[in-house]
Amino acid sequence: MVTYFKHLSLPNWYTTPYNPYPIIPLFKLINSLDAAIIYAKKYHNEKNIKYNYYEGANCANFCSQCLVAGGVPMTNEWKNGSPAFINIKKLTEYFCN
């Protein structure tokens, strides 16, 4: 079994040959998928002043913002401006380790 987000477990078959990290099933992490989608639609073309913005490198940051909007709680390690919030490798490692 693979452990996610400190309390979720899934079978090892969630991994792919090209990605050593298991695929994260969002339905198990997000409390409100609708809220995450609404957030993504609202802010995909504009900045949310509540969050830092990284010109040309904002993808992981935006994904993290959508997860927060969907109800995934921030932690000391995964919060606005932290490496796990803004860097795709660190974000993946945070949720998959």
Side-chain angles (χ1 to χ4, degrees), residues 18-80:
Y18 304 104
N19 182 3
Y21 300 105
I23 298 168
I24 301 169
L26 292 178
F27 65 89
K28 288 208 171 200
L29 295 176
I30 296 179
N31 295 324
S32 174
L33 186 56
D34 289 339
I37 291 169
I38 289 167
Y39 183 91
K41 286 181 177 181
K42 180 175 182 179
Y43 289 106
H44 76 281
N45 263 345
E46 64 181 84
K47 299 174 191 176
N48 180 342
I49 61 170
K50 291 189 203 176
Y51 293 98
N52 299 338
Y53 182 79
Y54 303 93
E55 188 70 41
N58 201 52
C59 297
N61 184 43
F62 182 69
C63 290
S64 291
Q65 292 173 37
C66 292
L67 290 171
V68 170
V72 178
M74 284 193 250
T75 65
N76 286 335
E77 188 180 347
W78 184 69
K79 62 185 177 184
N80 185 25

